[in-house]
Amino acid sequence: MKKCTFTLDEKLYNQLHRHLFPGDHDEHGAIIIAGVSEDENEIRFLGRELVIARDGVEYLPGKYGYRRLSAEFVANQSQRCSVSKLCYFAVHCHSGENSVDFSSIDMESHKRGYPALLDITKGGPVGALVFAKNAVAGEIWTPSQIYKLSHLTIIGSKILKLYPNQQVRSIHKPHEIYDRHIRLFGDAGQDIINNLKVGIIGLGGGGSLINEFITRLGVGQIIAVDDQKIEPTNLPRVVGSTQFDAMTSLFNSKTKLLRKLGKSLSKSKVHIAKRVAKTANKNIDFVSIQGNVLDENVATKLKNCDFLFLATDNHQTRLVFNALVQQYLIPGIQIGVFINKDKETSTVDSILINTRPVMPYLSGGCLECHQLISPIRLQEESLTPDERRKQRYVDFEEVPQPNVITLNAVSAAQAVNDFMMMFTGLFSSNVNMYHIQQEAVKRERFTILSALNTNCLDCSLHPKSRKAKGDRARLPCRWNE
Amino acid sequence: MTPEVKEAVEEVRRFFGEIEVKDVSQGGALVVVKEVFLGDQYAPSKSWIGFVIGFQYPRADVYPHFVTHELKRVDGKSLGSGFSAPVVWDEKQSTQISRRSNRLDPSVDTAATKLAKVLKWINDR
């Protein structure tokens, strides 16, 4: 049987928690409208919208139990789910702190109501969640099966998990090589990192450093995506790459045929990344995909990652990365270096080193809200070099950008530190995950305040927005039908 | 064609009448509106107008647009900035019109509204 989990962003969870536990020790109710992401092992529900049931208006004294959602409220919200092809979850609270379960009255009400709700929502799934202060239990109805919720993940500056019983978590004793890590974040922290599945998009200069860092941190599973092969000019920046990988001697040949042979024999960047990862941790589960995240069959391989890193330098992949973060509620970080040179004098005006956390909630650093995905660049990047030349795009730089490993290292280290702090819970409360920019020429560091577009098609609740829709929306990938 | 591109093509057809549509790689569409009015200040005053809607539409801008290569101003002045000719587009000689949308709002703007804005811009020149 597949594992069933739920993911909520921190803002939605905090709003729900305040409603359920206002301090009156009474029972309160709500609805969560959710998307869903399914693979061969797991069904993951993704909280999109919280609809509060007002006490005495939509949350009323019950006929069978203590309280119930009003029939009109259930009808309206289930109809909304049906129209938007999303899933309906009724939520209420019980007293208690660290463990919770449904009462027999709750279970009877599921049996009475959920077959009809499955019909109304055209197969749902539908279900219920019951919360204690630090615990959650759930029951999920699909047309073919009833599932129990395994756990609920809360995505914020601290990534938290809630279980039906918080006290029964078993921790695998981490390997002794992680002794210095454990002294920082404990066995539990290392165990969390060992069990993470992390996607890296782009295994060039920045991505190769991230790969090295997270592998040595102990991440258990990496999915690495890059369609490029290594070239001699990459060697000074790509961690673990060798002259042999790049077929440097053939690349430098005066014979065209040998140069072509060199290009065909050179190793892919994901191949090198896998070798680096296996050197650091021979037990790592490393999936290398020599492909492009613009292809849906590649992008969807990342949909159940716990975290994503983006280390490419084009806007098309930014769009897909931002979509994966918002649509599947996967926190991520984009890194990159941008060097401004005076076009006439070639003087270096500024060196901007960016680390941009992208969290799946409003004002969470969405690249679209920050205007970091240019509609113009998207159009230009979709053209072939020949089409671009014919249409005379002078702004579109096809010449390689300057860069060095140490600049990449600054943004990669910041990104991996943020990642580590989030999962091990080391960040202080209410830390802001703002974008950080370092300017190397003036040796300055800036925090970029959150930008918000309430009509954003990625992170807002605009009807056309992909936020938390999971498999019920399409990623902005190439079309293969 | 992606569902979003297909929807955009239908909207163009609804607002601008007869069109020719070709699938282009990756899920985009090449669209030619058979006849639009460019303005009496031009000869010819009417032309076909063509453009590509890319696979990442509505997030990607729809530009440039292309009209007949014969386009001239009747007052003899040059067409001015924004126009370039001759260029080859879809294997035919054309005049390219480059109007980027720096403030594209993909929740509102569509390929049809962009075309309407481009036509207004041409008309106002």
Side-chain angles (χ1 to χ4, degrees):
Chain A
M1 195 186 225
K2 290 184 183 185
K3 187 166 80 171
C4 244
T5 66
F6 215 106
T7 304
L8 294 179
D9 73 66
E10 184 183 69
K11 292 195 176 184
L12 192 153
Y13 175 73
N14 288 343
Q15 193 191 350
L16 174 66
H17 203 268
R18 280 195 300 273
H19 172 67
L20 295 179
F21 303 104
D24 61 1
H25 304 287
D26 203 352
E27 188 179 303
H28 304 279
I31 297 286
I32 292 176
I33 295 174
V36 61
S37 167
E38 186 168 1
D39 64 16
E40 60 277 14
N41 302 314
E42 183 178 353
I43 307 173
R44 194 162 68 95
F45 292 94
L46 310 158
R48 174 176 160 92
E49 186 183 347
L50 173 68
V51 188
I52 298 286
R54 290 168 296 172
D55 294 327
V57 182
E58 287 116 358
Y59 205 55
L60 304 167
K63 187 174 165 190
Y64 301 97
Y66 178 56
R67 291 271 192 270
R68 66 176 173 91
L69 293 166
S70 76
E72 189 184 0
F73 185 67
V74 172
N76 287 342
Q77 299 312 321
S78 57
Q79 188 56 34
R80 283 185 64 203
C81 291
S82 172
V83 171
S84 52
K85 297 181 182 142
L86 294 169
C87 311
Y88 168 101
F89 282 86
V91 180
H92 73 288
C93 60
H94 284 174
S95 58
E97 295 276 330
N98 296 320
S99 70
V100 70
D101 205 351
F102 292 106
S103 66
S104 56
I105 294 169
D106 291 333
M107 300 299 275
E108 285 303 316
S109 78
H110 299 175
K111 283 182 196 162
R112 278 194 308 276
Y114 287 173
L117 276 177
L118 273 174
D119 281 345
I120 293 167
T121 59
K122 302 186 182 90
V126 301
L129 302 174
V130 59
F131 283 82
K133 274 192 179 157
N134 303 311
V136 61
E139 188 177 74
I140 298 105
W141 285 54
T142 71
S144 59
Q145 229 163 340
I146 300 169
Y147 296 85
K148 291 282 177 204
L149 183 77
S150 160
H151 64 264
L152 179 145
T153 305
I154 302 158
I155 308 289
S157 55
K158 294 181 184 185
I159 311 278
L160 301 173
K161 283 191 177 172
L162 295 184
Y163 297 85
N165 188 337
Q166 290 295 103
Q167 265 121 38
V168 294
R169 306 272 59 76
S170 63
I171 295 168
H172 294 100
K173 181 82 184 151
H175 195 283
E176 62 191 21
I177 64 164
Y178 296 114
D179 174 73
R180 300 300 187 275
H181 295 183
I182 293 161
R183 288 168 193 270
L184 176 61
F185 39 70
D187 284 352
Q190 188 64 51
D191 190 51
I192 288 168
I193 287 176
N194 291 159
N195 285 295
L196 291 177
K197 179 177 176 179
V198 177
I200 309 174
I201 305 166
L203 273 297
S208 74
L209 286 159
I210 285 172
N211 180 53
E212 172 84 62
F213 294 160
I214 65 169
T215 307
R216 292 193 183 271
L217 208 49
V219 165
Q221 190 178 0
I222 292 176
I223 301 180
V225 179
D226 198 312
D227 60 357
Q228 291 181 348
K229 289 182 157 194
I230 193 92
E231 294 183 5
T233 56
N234 303 140
L235 293 177
R237 294 182 316 286
V238 174
V239 175
S241 61
T242 66
Q243 302 278 349
F244 183 74
D245 290 330
M247 293 284 145
T248 308
S249 54
L250 292 174
F251 247 98
N252 293 337
S253 166
K254 287 179 180 159
T255 314
K256 193 179 173 187
L257 190 66
L258 289 177
R259 286 202 303 274
K260 203 172 168 187
L261 184 66
K263 206 163 193 175
S264 110
L265 291 176
S266 61
K267 297 283 192 302
S268 66
K269 289 179 179 175
V270 288
H271 174 96
I272 296 162
K274 183 171 186 175
R275 190 176 64 215
V276 167
K278 288 281 181 185
T279 306
N281 174 9
K282 67 178 172 23
N283 295 322
I284 195 168
D285 179 0
F286 195 99
V287 179
S288 39
I289 301 174
Q290 194 185 347
N292 194 319
V293 79
L294 291 179
D295 291 316
E296 198 167 19
N297 62 339
V298 174
T300 52
K301 291 206 167 67
L302 298 166
K303 71 177 190 175
N304 279 349
C305 283
D306 297 297
F307 199 87
L308 294 174
F309 288 101
L310 177 69
T312 63
D313 55 4
N314 67 75
H315 289 233
Q316 289 190 309
T317 50
R318 280 187 193 179
L319 180 65
V320 175
F321 162 81
N322 205 54
L324 280 164
V325 168
Q326 306 296 348
Q327 189 169 324
Y328 289 97
L329 301 187
I330 309 168
I333 299 184
Q334 184 244 330
I335 66 162
V337 174
F338 187 74
I339 297 176
N340 279 309
K341 286 177 84 175
D342 186 291
K343 279 182 181 156
E344 285 172 14
T345 63
S346 285
T347 316
V348 174
D349 288 338
S350 61
I351 299 174
L352 305 173
I353 304 164
N354 294 303
T355 309
R356 297 174 175 138
V358 184
M359 306 298 287
Y361 45 74
L362 277 182
S363 303
C366 168
L367 297 180
E368 173 72 7
C369 291
H370 278 265
Q371 300 183 342
L372 292 166
I373 305 172
S374 155
I376 293 162
R377 284 291 299 270
L378 290 177
Q379 194 279 343
E380 291 174 0
E381 287 172 5
S382 72
L383 300 174
T384 63
D386 185 50
E387 286 170 327
R388 275 200 286 274
R389 190 177 44 75
K390 278 183 184 159
Q391 294 177 19
R392 300 169 188 169
Y393 292 124
V394 289
D395 291 351
F396 194 87
E397 298 280 352
E398 301 228 40
V399 290
Q401 295 297 302
N403 206 349
V404 296
I405 189 170
T406 49
L407 298 174
N408 283 331
V410 172
S411 65
Q414 176 71 53
V416 177
N417 265 335
D418 284 346
F419 157 80
M420 175 191 76
M421 300 290 277
M422 286 165 76
F423 280 97
T424 55
L426 284 174
F427 271 134
S428 61
S429 296
N430 302 322
V431 71
N432 282 309
M433 299 301 294
Y434 292 142
H435 295 179
I436 289 174
Q437 187 170 76
Q438 300 190 61
E439 204 290 301
V441 172
K442 291 181 183 158
R443 212 161 181 264
E444 290 176 333
R445 181 185 167 101
F446 307 97
T447 296
I448 314 290
L449 295 180
S450 296
L452 171 64
N453 170 5
T454 50
N455 286 330
C456 177
L457 295 186
D458 283 346
C459 72
S460 78
L461 286 181
H462 185 285
K464 286 184 179 173
S465 139
R466 68 181 71 256
K467 155 114 195 216
K469 286 184 176 169
D471 300 339
R472 304 283 165 98
R474 199 181 72 79
L475 287 166
C477 292
R478 293 166 178 148
W479 188 249
N480 292 319
E481 283 183 19
Chain B
M1 268 184 254
T2 69
E4 295 85 355
V5 171
K6 210 175 266 184
E7 195 181 320
V9 167
E10 284 316 307
E11 195 189 35
V12 171
R13 197 193 307 276
R14 246 189 348 267
F15 285 105
F16 294 94
E18 197 180 348
I19 59 173
E20 271 176 22
V21 184
K22 278 194 254 180
D23 282 4
V24 295
S25 63
Q26 307 180 336
L30 185 149
V31 181
V32 178
V33 179
K34 278 293 182 67
E35 188 177 271
V36 290
F37 178 66
L38 301 176
D40 288 326
Q41 66 273 44
Y42 300 102
S45 60
K46 291 177 182 172
S47 166
W48 55 269
I49 188 163
F51 50 92
V52 170
I53 308 175
F55 76 97
Q56 287 183 318
Y57 173 89
R59 308 296 285 278
D61 195 7
V62 179
Y63 91 100
H65 291 68
F66 298 87
V67 296
T68 173
H69 71 288
E70 293 169 338
L71 190 70
K72 299 270 186 301
R73 288 189 68 93
V74 292
D75 59 11
K77 290 180 184 167
S78 75
L79 289 168
S81 63
F83 293 90
S84 46
V87 296
V88 177
W89 181 75
D90 192 29
E91 298 174 353
K92 52 182 177 270
Q93 291 290 313
S94 318
T95 301
Q96 178 176 314
I97 299 156
S98 297
R99 300 298 299 159
R100 295 175 179 186
S101 303
N102 290 319
R103 291 201 182 90
L104 181 82
D105 178 354
S107 70
V108 179
D109 297 326
T110 66
T113 59
K114 176 70 185 263
L115 178 55
K117 282 179 192 168
V118 168
L119 289 173
K120 183 174 184 316
W121 179 83
I122 298 171
N123 220 277
D124 289 346
R125 302 283 289 170

Coordinates of all heavy atoms in Angstrom, one line a residue, chain B residues 47-96:
Chain B
S47 N -2.6 44.2 -44.4 CA -1.6 43.2 -44.6 C -1.9 42.0 -43.8 O -2.8 42.0 -42.9 CB -0.2 43.7 -44.1 OG 0.7 42.7 -43.9
W48 N -1.3 40.9 -44.1 CA -1.3 39.8 -43.1 C -0.4 40.2 -41.9 O 0.4 41.1 -42.1 CB -0.8 38.5 -43.8 CG 0.6 38.6 -44.4 CD1 0.9 39.0 -45.7 CD2 1.9 38.4 -43.7 NE1 2.2 39.1 -45.9 CE2 2.9 38.7 -44.7 CE3 2.2 38.1 -42.5 CZ2 4.2 38.6 -44.4 CZ3 3.6 38.0 -42.1 CH2 4.6 38.3 -43.1
I49 N -0.6 39.5 -40.8 CA 0.3 39.7 -39.7 C 0.6 38.4 -39.0 O -0.4 37.6 -38.8 CB -0.2 40.8 -38.7 CG1 0.9 41.1 -37.7 CG2 -1.5 40.4 -38.0 CD1 0.6 42.4 -36.9
G50 N 1.8 38.1 -38.8 CA 2.2 36.8 -38.2 C 3.0 36.9 -37.0 O 3.7 37.9 -36.7
F51 N 3.0 35.8 -36.2 CA 3.8 35.8 -34.9 C 3.8 34.3 -34.4 O 3.0 33.5 -34.9 CB 3.2 36.7 -33.9 CG 1.7 36.5 -33.7 CD1 1.2 35.6 -32.7 CD2 0.8 37.2 -34.5 CE1 -0.1 35.4 -32.5 CE2 -0.6 37.0 -34.3 CZ -1.0 36.1 -33.3
V52 N 4.8 34.1 -33.5 CA 4.9 32.8 -32.9 C 4.5 32.9 -31.4 O 4.9 33.8 -30.7 CB 6.3 32.2 -33.0 CG1 6.5 30.9 -32.2 CG2 6.7 31.9 -34.5
I53 N 3.6 31.9 -31.0 CA 3.3 31.8 -29.6 C 4.1 30.7 -29.1 O 3.9 29.5 -29.5 CB 1.8 31.5 -29.4 CG1 0.9 32.6 -30.2 CG2 1.4 31.5 -27.9 CD1 -0.6 32.3 -30.1
G54 N 5.1 31.0 -28.2 CA 6.0 29.9 -27.7 C 5.4 29.0 -26.7 O 4.3 29.3 -26.1
F55 N 6.1 27.9 -26.5 CA 5.5 26.8 -25.6 C 5.4 27.2 -24.1 O 4.6 26.6 -23.4 CB 6.3 25.5 -25.7 CG 7.6 25.5 -25.0 CD1 7.7 24.9 -23.7 CD2 8.7 26.0 -25.6 CE1 8.9 24.9 -23.0 CE2 9.9 26.0 -24.9 CZ 10.0 25.4 -23.6
Q56 N 6.1 28.3 -23.7 CA 6.0 28.7 -22.3 C 5.0 29.9 -22.2 O 4.9 30.6 -21.2 CB 7.3 29.0 -21.7 CG 8.1 27.7 -21.4 CD 9.4 27.9 -20.8 OE1 10.2 28.8 -21.1 NE2 9.7 27.1 -19.8
Y57 N 4.2 30.1 -23.3 CA 3.1 31.1 -23.2 C 2.1 30.6 -22.1 O 1.9 29.4 -22.0 CB 2.3 31.1 -24.5 CG 1.1 31.9 -24.5 CD1 1.1 33.3 -24.8 CD2 -0.1 31.3 -24.2 CE1 -0.1 34.0 -24.8 CE2 -1.3 32.1 -24.2 CZ -1.3 33.4 -24.5 OH -2.4 34.1 -24.5
P58 N 1.5 31.4 -21.3 CA 1.4 32.8 -21.3 C 2.5 33.6 -20.6 O 2.5 34.8 -20.5 CB 0.1 33.1 -20.6 CG -0.1 32.1 -19.6 CD 0.6 30.8 -20.2
R59 N 3.5 32.8 -20.1 CA 4.6 33.4 -19.4 C 5.6 34.1 -20.3 O 6.2 35.1 -20.0 CB 5.3 32.4 -18.5 CG 4.3 31.7 -17.6 CD 3.6 32.6 -16.6 NE 4.5 32.9 -15.6 CZ 4.8 32.2 -14.5 NH1 4.1 31.1 -14.4 NH2 5.7 32.5 -13.6
A60 N 5.7 33.5 -21.5 CA 6.7 34.1 -22.5 C 5.9 35.2 -23.3 O 4.8 35.0 -23.6 CB 7.2 33.0 -23.4
D61 N 6.6 36.2 -23.6 CA 6.1 37.3 -24.4 C 5.8 36.8 -25.8 O 6.5 35.9 -26.3 CB 7.1 38.5 -24.4 CG 6.5 39.8 -24.9 OD1 5.2 39.8 -25.1 OD2 7.2 40.7 -25.1
V62 N 4.8 37.4 -26.5 CA 4.6 37.1 -27.9 C 5.1 38.3 -28.7 O 4.5 39.3 -28.8 CB 3.1 36.9 -28.2 CG1 2.9 36.6 -29.7 CG2 2.5 35.8 -27.3
Y63 N 6.3 38.1 -29.3 CA 6.9 39.1 -30.2 C 8.1 38.5 -30.9 O 8.6 37.4 -30.4 CB 7.3 40.3 -29.4 CG 8.8 40.2 -28.8 CD1 9.8 40.9 -29.5 CD2 9.1 39.5 -27.7 CE1 11.1 40.8 -29.0 CE2 10.4 39.4 -27.3 CZ 11.4 40.1 -27.9 OH 12.7 40.0 -27.5
P64 N 8.6 38.9 -31.9 CA 8.1 40.1 -32.7 C 6.9 39.6 -33.6 O 6.6 38.5 -33.7 CB 9.3 40.5 -33.6 CG 10.1 39.2 -33.7 CD 9.8 38.4 -32.5
H65 N 6.3 40.6 -34.2 CA 5.3 40.4 -35.2 C 5.8 40.7 -36.6 O 6.8 41.5 -36.7 CB 4.0 41.2 -34.9 CG 3.3 40.8 -33.6 ND1 3.9 41.0 -32.4 CD2 2.1 40.3 -33.4 CE1 3.1 40.5 -31.4 NE2 2.0 40.1 -32.0
F66 N 5.2 40.1 -37.6 CA 5.7 40.3 -39.0 C 4.5 40.7 -39.9 O 3.4 40.1 -39.8 CB 6.4 39.0 -39.5 CG 7.6 38.6 -38.7 CD1 7.4 37.8 -37.5 CD2 8.9 39.0 -39.0 CE1 8.5 37.5 -36.7 CE2 10.0 38.7 -38.2 CZ 9.8 37.9 -37.1
V67 N 4.8 41.6 -40.8 CA 3.8 42.0 -41.8 C 4.5 42.0 -43.2 O 5.7 41.7 -43.3 CB 3.1 43.4 -41.5 CG1 2.4 43.4 -40.2 CG2 4.2 44.5 -41.5
T68 N 3.7 42.4 -44.2 CA 4.2 42.3 -45.6 C 5.5 43.1 -45.7 O 5.7 44.2 -45.1 CB 3.2 42.8 -46.6 OG1 3.8 42.9 -47.9 CG2 2.7 44.2 -46.2
H69 N 6.4 42.7 -46.5 CA 7.7 43.4 -46.8 C 7.5 44.6 -47.6 O 8.4 45.5 -47.7 CB 8.7 42.5 -47.5 CG 8.4 42.2 -48.9 ND1 7.4 41.3 -49.2 CD2 9.0 42.6 -50.0 CE1 7.3 41.3 -50.6 NE2 8.3 42.0 -51.1
E70 N 6.3 44.7 -48.2 CA 6.0 45.9 -49.1 C 5.6 47.1 -48.3 O 5.4 48.2 -48.9 CB 4.9 45.5 -50.0 CG 5.3 44.5 -51.0 CD 4.1 43.9 -51.8 OE1 2.9 44.1 -51.3 OE2 4.3 43.4 -52.9
L71 N 5.5 47.0 -47.0 CA 5.0 48.1 -46.2 C 5.8 49.4 -46.3 O 7.1 49.4 -46.1 CB 4.9 47.7 -44.7 CG 4.2 48.6 -43.8 CD1 2.7 48.6 -44.1 CD2 4.5 48.3 -42.3
K72 N 5.2 50.5 -46.7 CA 5.8 51.8 -46.8 C 4.9 52.8 -46.2 O 3.7 52.6 -46.1 CB 6.0 52.2 -48.3 CG 6.9 51.2 -49.1 CD 8.3 51.7 -49.0 CE 9.2 50.9 -50.0 NZ 9.2 49.4 -49.7
R73 N 5.4 54.0 -45.8 CA 4.5 55.1 -45.4 C 4.2 55.9 -46.6 O 5.0 56.1 -47.5 CB 5.3 56.0 -44.4 CG 5.5 55.4 -43.0 CD 6.0 56.5 -42.1 NE 5.0 57.5 -41.8 CZ 4.2 57.5 -40.8 NH1 4.2 56.5 -39.9 NH2 3.3 58.4 -40.6
V74 N 2.9 56.3 -46.7 CA 2.5 57.1 -47.9 C 3.1 58.5 -48.0 O 3.3 59.0 -49.1 CB 0.9 57.2 -48.0 CG1 0.3 55.9 -48.3 CG2 0.4 57.9 -46.8
D75 N 3.6 59.0 -46.8 CA 4.2 60.3 -46.9 C 5.7 60.2 -47.2 O 6.4 61.2 -47.2 CB 4.0 61.0 -45.5 CG 4.6 60.2 -44.3 OD1 5.4 59.2 -44.6 OD2 4.4 60.6 -43.2
G76 N 6.2 59.0 -47.5 CA 7.6 58.9 -48.0 C 8.6 58.8 -46.9 O 9.8 58.5 -47.1
K77 N 8.2 59.0 -45.6 CA 9.1 59.0 -44.5 C 9.5 57.5 -44.2 O 8.7 56.6 -44.7 CB 8.5 59.6 -43.2 CG 8.4 61.1 -43.3 CD 7.8 61.6 -42.0 CE 7.5 63.1 -42.1 NZ 6.7 63.6 -41.0
S78 N 10.5 57.3 -43.5 CA 10.9 55.9 -43.1 C 9.9 55.4 -42.1 O 9.2 56.2 -41.4 CB 12.3 55.9 -42.6 OG 12.3 56.3 -41.3
L79 N 9.9 54.1 -42.0 CA 8.9 53.5 -41.0 C 9.3 53.8 -39.6 O 8.4 53.8 -38.7 CB 8.9 51.9 -41.2 CG 8.2 51.5 -42.5 CD1 8.5 50.0 -42.8 CD2 6.7 51.7 -42.5
G80 N 10.6 54.0 -39.4 CA 11.0 54.4 -38.0 C 11.4 53.3 -37.1 O 11.4 52.1 -37.6
S81 N 11.7 53.6 -35.9 CA 12.2 52.6 -35.0 C 11.0 51.6 -34.6 O 9.9 52.0 -34.6 CB 12.7 53.2 -33.7 OG 11.7 53.9 -33.0
G82 N 11.4 50.4 -34.3 CA 10.4 49.3 -34.1 C 10.2 48.5 -35.3 O 9.7 47.4 -35.2
F83 N 10.4 49.1 -36.5 CA 10.3 48.3 -37.7 C 11.6 47.9 -38.3 O 12.6 48.7 -38.2 CB 9.6 49.2 -38.8 CG 8.2 49.6 -38.5 CD1 7.9 50.7 -37.8 CD2 7.1 48.8 -39.0 CE1 6.6 51.1 -37.6 CE2 5.8 49.1 -38.7 CZ 5.5 50.3 -38.0
S84 N 11.8 46.7 -38.8 CA 13.0 46.4 -39.6 C 12.6 45.5 -40.8 O 11.8 44.6 -40.7 CB 14.0 45.8 -38.7 OG 13.5 44.8 -37.9
A85 N 13.3 45.9 -41.9 CA 12.9 45.2 -43.1 C 14.1 45.3 -44.1 O 14.9 46.2 -44.0 CB 11.7 45.8 -43.8
P86 N 14.3 44.3 -45.0 CA 13.5 43.1 -45.1 C 14.1 42.0 -44.2 O 15.3 42.0 -43.9 CB 13.7 42.7 -46.5 CG 15.0 43.2 -46.9 CD 15.3 44.4 -46.1
V87 N 13.3 41.2 -43.6 CA 13.7 40.0 -42.9 C 13.0 38.8 -43.4 O 11.9 39.0 -44.0 CB 13.5 40.1 -41.4 CG1 14.2 41.2 -40.7 CG2 12.0 40.2 -41.1
V88 N 13.6 37.7 -43.3 CA 12.9 36.4 -43.8 C 12.2 35.8 -42.6 O 12.9 35.5 -41.6 CB 13.9 35.5 -44.4 CG1 13.1 34.2 -44.8 CG2 14.5 36.1 -45.6
W89 N 10.9 35.6 -42.7 CA 10.2 35.0 -41.6 C 9.2 34.0 -42.2 O 8.5 34.3 -43.1 CB 9.4 36.0 -40.7 CG 8.6 35.4 -39.6 CD1 9.2 34.9 -38.4 CD2 7.2 35.1 -39.5 NE1 8.2 34.4 -37.6 CE2 7.0 34.5 -38.3 CE3 6.2 35.3 -40.4 CZ2 5.7 34.1 -37.9 CZ3 4.9 34.9 -40.0 CH2 4.7 34.3 -38.8
D90 N 9.2 32.8 -41.7 CA 8.4 31.7 -42.2 C 8.6 31.6 -43.7 O 7.6 31.5 -44.5 CB 6.9 32.0 -41.8 CG 6.0 30.7 -42.1 OD1 6.6 29.6 -42.0 OD2 4.8 30.9 -42.4
E91 N 9.8 31.7 -44.1 CA 10.2 31.5 -45.5 C 9.7 32.6 -46.4 O 9.5 32.4 -47.6 CB 9.9 30.1 -46.0 CG 10.6 29.0 -45.3 CD 10.2 27.6 -45.7 OE1 9.2 27.5 -46.4 OE2 10.8 26.7 -45.2
K92 N 9.3 33.7 -45.9 CA 8.8 34.8 -46.8 C 9.4 36.2 -46.3 O 9.7 36.4 -45.1 CB 7.3 34.9 -46.9 CG 6.5 35.0 -45.6 CD 5.0 35.0 -45.9 CE 4.2 35.0 -44.7 NZ 3.9 33.6 -44.2
Q93 N 9.6 37.0 -47.3 CA 10.1 38.4 -47.0 C 9.1 39.1 -46.2 O 7.9 39.1 -46.5 CB 10.4 39.1 -48.4 CG 11.5 38.6 -49.2 CD 12.9 38.9 -48.5 OE1 13.1 40.0 -48.1 NE2 13.7 37.9 -48.4
S94 N 9.6 39.8 -45.2 CA 8.6 40.4 -44.2 C 9.2 41.7 -43.7 O 10.4 42.0 -43.8 CB 8.4 39.5 -43.0 OG 8.2 38.2 -43.4
T95 N 8.3 42.4 -43.0 CA 8.8 43.6 -42.2 C 8.6 43.1 -40.7 O 7.5 42.7 -40.4 CB 7.9 44.8 -42.5 OG1 8.1 45.2 -43.8 CG2 8.4 46.0 -41.6
Q96 N 9.6 43.2 -39.9 CA 9.6 42.8 -38.5 C 9.1 44.0 -37.6 O 9.7 45.1 -37.8 CB 10.9 42.3 -38.1 CG 10.9 41.8 -36.6 CD 12.3 41.2 -36.3 OE1 12.8 40.4 -37.0 NE2 12.8 41.6 -35.1

